[in-house]
Amino acid sequence: MARVMQDRYWFEMPDDEYTSTQLQEKAGMDRDAIPVIRRGDKDIAVEPDEVVRLEPEDRVIFTTPTKAAFDMKPMFFNLIRKVASRQNAGAMNSVPLVFREDDYKCMREHLLREDSKERVSFILFGTRGEDPVKEAFVHRIINLEDSEYARQSGMHVVPKIVSQMKAFRAFSSSDIPGFMHVHSHPFADNAEFSYTDRKSVAETVRSLRDYLTSDDKTGTFLYGTLVMGRSEKGFSGVFYDYKSAMKEKLGEIRTIGIKGFRRIRSYETIASRETAIPDIEMLDRNIKWLGEEGQKRLSETSMVICGAGGVGGMVAMNIRGLGLKKITLIDDDWIEKSNLNRLPSATLHDVGEYKVNVMARMIKDVSPGTEVDTIPEKVSCDEGRTRKAIAEADIIVAAVDSFQARFDIQWLAARYLKPLIDIGSGINLSTDTSTVKFMGGQIACYVPGGPCLCCQAVVPRDIESEFSREVKKMTGYVKGTDITPTSVVTINSIVAGYAVDVIIKFITGFSEIQTYMKYDLLNMTSQTFNFGKKTDCLICGHNGVEGKGDDVITVPFGCSNVFDKKAEQNNEYPLVIHGLFG
C-alpha cells in the first residue's frame, strides 16, 4: 500500500493508477498543490492530469510554489525594502563566505548571462563556529539550467519541483550544516532582496526542515539566502537558523585561486572595512615594490606557521617585517644547545625555552603592531588550540618533520579552504655516509580547488608512528646518520627565502604560483611541477572534504515544536515543500 500525506498525517491508498487531480482530492489538497512521489532515491513530480501508478512503499507528498507579487506598486515595494533594510542593519554579525575562485566565476557566469534572465544556484556550505558563525565555506555549487525552471523571466524565477528536491536531496546526503539559495537580479548593479524574496524564507526553511525529517535526517542546519547584482560588490545575503530566525549577515565574499585571494565586500559594508597600513615608514620598501594595495593585502592577512625549527624559524624571520595582521606559531619543541646554529635570534640564554616563544620575541622586536600568538603544542586534527588557530588563519605555512603532521594540516586546510605552503629541507648521504647525494629542499603549495599534498607527495601510507618520528628526529636532518651539520642553516635560509617570496606573491596577487618547486643546492638547479588533482581524492576530489568546515554533530530538532504530538508518537513526519523564491 502506498502512503499519502494529508494535513501532516499519512494514510494508505491501494497500489493503482491515479491522476494528479485524484491524488489532490484524496488528500484534500487544492489544485495548486503538486503531487510528488518519493520512490526510493527518486522524487517524481506528477504533472497536471498525468496518470501515474502507485507502487508499494511509495510516499506521496505535495508542494505549493509561492506566487510572485507582480501587482505590487513600486512605491510600496521600495518602502517595504527600506524598512526591512533598516531593521536588519547593524543587528547581526557579518560573516564571510569563501569560494574557490573557479567555482565563484562559474556561478557568476551562470547567474548573470547576457539575456538578463534571473537564474538560480544552490550552495552546500560548511561553517566555522556555531553561535555566532565566524566563517562559511562553499563545499558544492548546484547551478540550475533553464530547463529546470517552472517560470523564468527578467524579474522572476521559480525552479521546478524536481530541481528543488534534487538540491534538497544533495544536502540531505551531505554531512555539512548549511544550505543556501542564490539567485540573480540582472536588472540591478546592487541587488537587494525583494518583498517576495523575504516573504518566502520561512516557507522554504520549513520545506527543507520537513524534507530532512521525512528523509530520516535529524539535526540543526543553517539556511542562507544570497542575491547577486551585476556588480561584484552588489550582493546581499543573510543566514537563518532552522527556525527561520535571522542569525548573521553576509558581508563579504572571499575567493581563493592560484593568483591569491580576493576580498569582495558588499556595497553596504565596503566603506567601513578599509584597511590602513600600520607603519608606512617601516614598510616603505614593501610599498615601493608591491604598491599600497599590495601592502594593504599583507596588513589584513593572518598567518599560522606550524613548526618553529630551522626552516620555520627562517620563515618567521623573513616575514617579521611584512606588517602582517597576525602571526600564530605552533611547535611543542624547546631549544637545545645544538639548535643554536640554525635558529635565528636564539641565544644561550634561551636554551630550555619553547621555540615559539623565542620566535615571537623576534617578531615583536621588529613589528610591535603585529599580533603574535604562541601555541607550544603538537599539530593535530583534534579539537583544540592548534585546530582553532589553523581554522582562523588566512594562510598556513607548514615546516614540520612528520607525514602525520603534514596530513593533519592538509586535512584542516581543505576543510576550511585555506591555502597551504608546505616546506621541507634536508641532506641525503650515500650508504657509507661519507658522500652527500642530495642537499636542498622543496615547496609544495595547496590552493583550494587545486591538487592537495596527497595528490603531490604526501600519501596516507607514509604517515609515521610517533615512535618512528622520534627516531628520525634523533638522527637530525641528514638521512643515514646521526650528524646534523652546520651547513643545514644555509639550506634552511635559501628554501625559506624562496617560500616567503612565494607567500608574498600569493597574498598580494603579484603572480601565479606553481604547485611544486624542488631545489637541488648540490648541483644548483631547480625544477617546477604543476600536478593534477585526482578526482577520487578524499581531500580535494569530487567527494572530498573541501569546504566542509567544522565536523557536524547532529542533534534532534525537538519535533514537538515542529509537529503535533500524534505525529511525533507515531514517528510519522509528513512533508510539504513550499516553493523557492527568486
Side-chain angles (χ1 to χ4, degrees), residues 82-100:
K82 290 178 180 179
V83 170
S85 179
R86 284 199 300 269
Q87 289 175 340
N88 298 332
M92 294 177 287
N93 182 44
S94 182
V95 176
L97 178 64
V98 185
F99 288 80
R100 290 158 287 203

Side-chain angles (χ1 to χ4, degrees), residues 308-322:
V311 178
M314 287 296 179
V315 170
M317 185 183 73
N318 278 275
I319 57 96
R320 62 183 174 173
L322 294 181

Side-chain angles (χ1 to χ4, degrees), residues 72 143 215 224 227 276 577:
M72 294 183 64
N143 295 320
D215 203 29
V227 57
I577 298 290

